[in-house]
Each structure stands twice: as structure tokens, then as C-alpha cells.
Amino acid sequence: MKKIILILTVAIIAAVPFLSATEKQAKNNALAIALIAASKGYDVRDTYHSGFLVEDRSKIVRTTLHRGNSYRLVAGGCNDARDVDILLYDENWNLIAKDTTTDKLSEVAITPRWTGVFYIKIKMYDAKSGGAHWVLMYAYN
Amino acid sequence: MLKITLILMLTPLLVSNIDEKKTEPITEEEKQAFSSYVVPSPHELFHAMNKLDQRNWTRLADYIRADRDKQKDNYKRNDLIAMNLGIRVADGFFGVIAKDRELVYQMGRDIKTFARRLGVRDSLIGLSTEVESLAEDREWQKLVSRLNDVQAEILQEMVRLRDTDASILGSYAGWLEGLHLVTKSLVVYYHEEASQTLRQPGLIDNFIAELDKLSPETKSQGLVADIIAQTKHIRSLVDVPQGVAVPRERVAELYQISSKLVTRIQRSE
């Protein structure tokens, strides 16, 4: 069993550098949602953060959100992703927003009551081939 | 009947799976393992201020224009070019908020000049041309997107040139110019709610950590050494509790510090 896990792990790690096309898919998937926000007057920050996540693993990125703005955070998985979730925590790690629907696209909206640090957790809940690329972008108004 | 029984039997399993997903707690290990910081663009700061307190930005635009005459464009070191590029991009974002076509157009031209000096790829020069064109047409929303691209491209260029010090300082200088302009505006007209946008100790902690990665040679330069020291002081000034205003006297001090640093960056050789 350990041998199989090792082989799978090596196979996934070895595959990552060749998956740039799927990273592009993830970006395009997220951008499609972000552009809907843009059509509603949101400014889209399409310089994005991205990575590869093995199924059931997550990544947390930090940012500063400003009081006064309304934000939409969008995480998109590539076509290998079946279920990507976003969970948003405040600076005290209180969960304040989440999208845990079963979809490769995930979106949360928030209008912060104060300016400060927020933690965005992106979770690859389910994916084909054991993992998939993800992209995080956001829009504000 | 068999189908109904089967559904009834499976339902608790399905519900339990959903509940488990929805109530999944964050672990202590995860809290320590965040990977990166998404640095907000100066536009987000200006935009938030504008939402909290509709301002007449004309005077501030004039202030930037007056200051421009004292600026140079013949910097020789990459770190100085990167910092001044960061400042000009922040000014461009401000020009969008102020809907000041001339300011944005000028910024596009400045970026092109600096980009050529750096010998960077044509993509940055192409983006600058696009910024000029969008400014001519007053396409404000598209300009925000292009300026984000310009900012990202500058930082990527620095990495491509294997100059991570310049990349770190360029990103920092863009933020510093945002602080400078917002505090200038608040010094002229203080507004408690708007001052809360300055509460950024987490972001500044990130910059302090980034500045700490600079090479010893860069850190030893007078300007950079001052930037490092002053940034720690800036952090103490913006560290207020949630929902509390940054006091007027602190805003004035923040303006003094940021204004002096920006001027030094612009006038350095």
C-alpha cells in the first residue's frame, strides 16, 4: 500500500510542471465568474494567485481587505477539479464566509466592517486524478 | 417501496457528509501554513476611501502634478528605477480614482521611459502604450485592469532580471505612495471613518518580512536602511483596534514619514 501511495505521489509531483495548460483552464474558469462581477461595476484584480492541490488538501493565502469596499473572491479549479471550496476567516480566525457547494468554481462575497488581515482558504475537496490546479482572483466595488 | 427504503437508508449518510464538510474546523497546523500574501493594489485603498468619504480629489491631483516637476527619470540603479516605477503606477491608480486623464496619460509615458531604461521586454512598453490610449478614451475600469497588469509585469521583469531586491522595493514603493497620498488627503480633511483604511499592520508585517530578505548590500544603503527603520515605526502608528479610527496626529506623522521617503526615492541618484 505504501508503495502505491509513493508511486502516486511521485506521479503527481512529476506531472505538475507539465500542467500549465490546466492552470490556464483554472484561470479562465475563475475569470468567467470575475467578469460577471465586472459587468456589475466591480474592478477585477486579474493578477492572480495559483497552485496545484492534491485532493483533500488546502492552501491559505493572506490579504488585507479594506472597509468601504465590497469584495468577491473567486477560486476556480481546472477541468480536473470537481469541487473547490473557499472559506474566509478574519484576523482572529473566525469563519465569516464560505462557499462549500459542490462545484469547481467557488465564490464568496464580503463587505468588511473593518480594514485588516483576512485569511482565504482554498480547498480541493474533490478532483479527478487525485489533484488539480486552482486560481484565486478577486473583484471589488 | 424498495427505492424509498434505499433513499431513507442513504439520506443520513449524505447529510452526515455535508455536515462534515460544512463544519470542518481549521486546524492549528493550517493556521501556521499560509503560503503567500496578496498585496492589495493602491487602487483598492483609494477606492475604499472614496466609498467611505466622497472626496474632491482635484487638489491632490494638482499636488502630484506639482511634485512631478521635481522628479527625475535618469536613475541608474535597478532598485531606484523599480521604486520609482512603483510610485508612478500608484499615481496612475490615483489618476483613475480622480478621473484625471492627463495624470494617467503622463504616468503611462513615464513607465515607458523607465521600462526602456531598464531594457525590459516589449510587453511592458506595449502595456504602457495601452494605458496612454485608454487614458485618452477615459476608459477608467479598463485602466484599473491594465494598471494591475503593469504592476505585475514590472515585478515579474525584476524577477526575470534576477533582481529580487528591486522587485521587493518596487512593490513596497507602490504601497508607500498610496499611504503618502491618502494621508496627505486626510491631513487636509480628516475623516474618522476614512482613516480606518490605514489600519494595515498585517500588510506592513508582510513588507517588513520582505524587506528583511534584501541582500546585505542593499540593506546597507542609506535610503533602504531608513525605509526599513521607518516602516517599523509606520506599523506602530497604524496598529489600532478593529473599527477604531487612526487619530489625526498619527495621520499627520504618517504623512510626514511617507512624504519624506517618497521624495528621497524620487530624488536619489
Side-chain angles (χ1 to χ4, degrees):
Chain A
M1 184 61 185
K2 275 184 184 171
K3 200 174 172 185
I4 293 170
I5 292 170
L6 185 67
I7 290 167
L8 279 174
T9 309
V10 170
I12 288 165
I13 292 168
V16 171
F18 303 105
L19 290 176
S20 58
T22 63
E23 196 172 337
K24 205 173 274 181
Q25 281 170 7
K27 185 185 178 187
N28 289 339
N29 289 338
L31 195 57
I33 297 289
L35 288 177
I36 294 172
S39 71
K40 293 174 183 167
Y42 280 71
D43 288 312
V44 177
R45 184 94 189 273
D46 54 3
T47 46
Y48 57 94
H49 285 249
S50 62
F52 182 87
L53 274 172
V54 173
E55 187 178 286
D56 209 34
R57 298 299 294 268
S58 58
K59 198 72 145 180
I60 295 177
V61 296
R62 284 184 301 171
T63 192
T64 292
L65 300 181
H66 290 96
R67 182 178 176 203
N69 288 341
S70 293
Y71 294 87
R72 285 177 173 221
L73 311 171
V74 181
C78 66
N79 293 348
D80 281 345
R82 290 196 187 104
D83 186 3
V84 179
D85 293 343
I86 286 189
L87 297 100
L88 182 68
Y89 300 86
D90 70 10
E91 62 195 23
N92 300 315
W93 292 99
N94 298 307
L95 179 62
I96 52 168
K98 62 180 178 178
D99 180 351
T100 52
T101 51
T102 308
D103 197 331
K104 68 180 166 214
L105 288 169
S106 194
E107 183 188 12
V108 297
I110 177 185
T111 303
R113 283 183 291 152
W114 62 80
T115 298
V117 171
F118 289 80
Y119 297 90
I120 308 160
K121 178 178 172 181
I122 297 113
K123 176 153 185 172
M124 188 63 62
Y125 203 81
D126 189 11
K128 290 179 213 166
S129 334
H133 271 101
W134 60 273
V135 158
L136 171 73
M137 54 179 69
Y138 65 97
Y140 57 95
N141 188 7
Chain B
M1 185 60 189
L2 183 65
K3 201 173 171 184
I4 292 170
T5 311
L6 194 62
I7 288 169
L8 284 172
M9 280 172 68
L10 284 173
T11 302
L13 288 175
L14 292 171
V15 168
S16 122
N17 186 35
I18 290 165
D19 281 346
E20 188 191 334
K21 186 180 178 186
K22 291 194 170 170
T23 56
E24 187 183 69
I26 191 137
T27 63
E28 286 304 315
E29 193 186 351
E30 280 180 302
K31 287 181 187 176
Q32 301 305 319
F34 43 80
S35 58
S36 55
Y37 207 105
V38 181
V39 176
S41 80
H43 184 261
E44 287 174 59
L45 175 63
F46 301 142
H47 190 273
M49 261 197 84
N50 213 30
K51 290 276 289 282
L52 292 168
D53 175 30
Q54 272 290 338
R55 285 179 173 244
N56 180 350
W57 297 106
T58 313
R59 281 176 68 181
L60 198 50
D62 291 341
Y63 168 74
I64 295 172
R65 250 188 291 277
D67 208 41
R68 248 203 111 264
D69 298 338
K70 301 170 201 157
Q71 293 169 13
K72 301 160 58 174
D73 61 7
N74 59 346
Y75 308 103
K76 291 183 178 67
R77 294 201 327 257
N78 276 8
D79 57 350
L80 276 176
I81 297 175
M83 283 194 279
N84 280 285
L85 271 168
I87 290 170
R88 303 288 167 95
V89 174
D91 290 346
F93 278 123
F94 174 78
V96 172
I97 283 288
K99 294 192 167 31
D100 189 313
R101 185 192 63 83
E102 187 198 327
L103 204 60
V104 183
Y105 184 83
Q106 187 59 52
M107 193 277 305
R109 295 192 66 168
D110 289 348
I111 289 174
K112 206 182 282 182
T113 305
F114 287 145
R116 289 205 174 107
R117 194 168 290 277
L118 267 178
V120 298
R121 296 191 322 177
D122 289 345
S123 54
L124 186 55
I125 292 165
L127 278 170
S128 314
T129 305
E130 203 178 337
V131 165
E132 287 172 17
S133 163
L134 290 169
E136 286 282 7
D137 297 340
R138 293 180 164 85
E139 292 272 10
W140 306 118
Q141 196 180 19
K142 283 183 187 165
L143 271 166
V144 174
S145 181
R146 280 305 147 269
L147 288 170
N148 276 321
D149 292 342
V150 168
Q151 196 176 38
E153 188 68 24
I154 291 167
L155 301 181
Q156 280 169 20
E157 277 296 337
M158 296 303 154
V159 173
R160 267 194 288 271
L161 293 170
R162 297 181 190 282
D163 200 337
T164 47
D165 284 3
S167 176
I168 291 167
L169 289 168
S171 174
Y172 173 88
W175 166 79
L176 183 71
E177 175 69 342
L179 178 71
H180 166 220
L181 296 179
V182 164
T183 51
K184 168 74 181 171
S185 174
L186 284 167
V187 163
V188 174
Y189 175 66
Y190 181 74
H191 185 274
E192 280 195 357
E193 261 191 297
S195 78
Q196 291 177 35
T197 56
L198 298 173
R199 182 180 179 268
Q200 305 172 345
L203 177 58
I204 299 172
D205 281 341
N206 178 65
F207 278 126
I208 290 170
E210 289 292 302
L211 292 169
D212 196 45
K213 293 176 190 166
L214 294 172
S215 66
E217 189 193 350
T218 303
K219 276 185 193 172
S220 67
Q221 289 166 21
L223 171 61
V224 177
D226 279 355
I227 282 174
I228 292 169
Q230 294 289 1
T231 303
K232 289 172 184 166
H233 185 47
I234 289 172
R235 192 211 180 279
S236 70
L237 294 172
V238 302
D239 192 11
V240 294
Q242 285 174 359
V244 172
V246 176
R248 191 191 297 262
E249 58 278 13
R250 286 198 193 185
V251 171
E253 194 174 349
L254 286 164
Y255 166 67
Q256 288 298 330
I257 295 168
S258 56
S259 172
K260 278 180 189 162
L261 286 177
V262 166
T263 302
R264 282 187 65 189
I265 292 167
Q266 289 172 329
R267 296 189 189 175
S268 287
E269 293 291 339

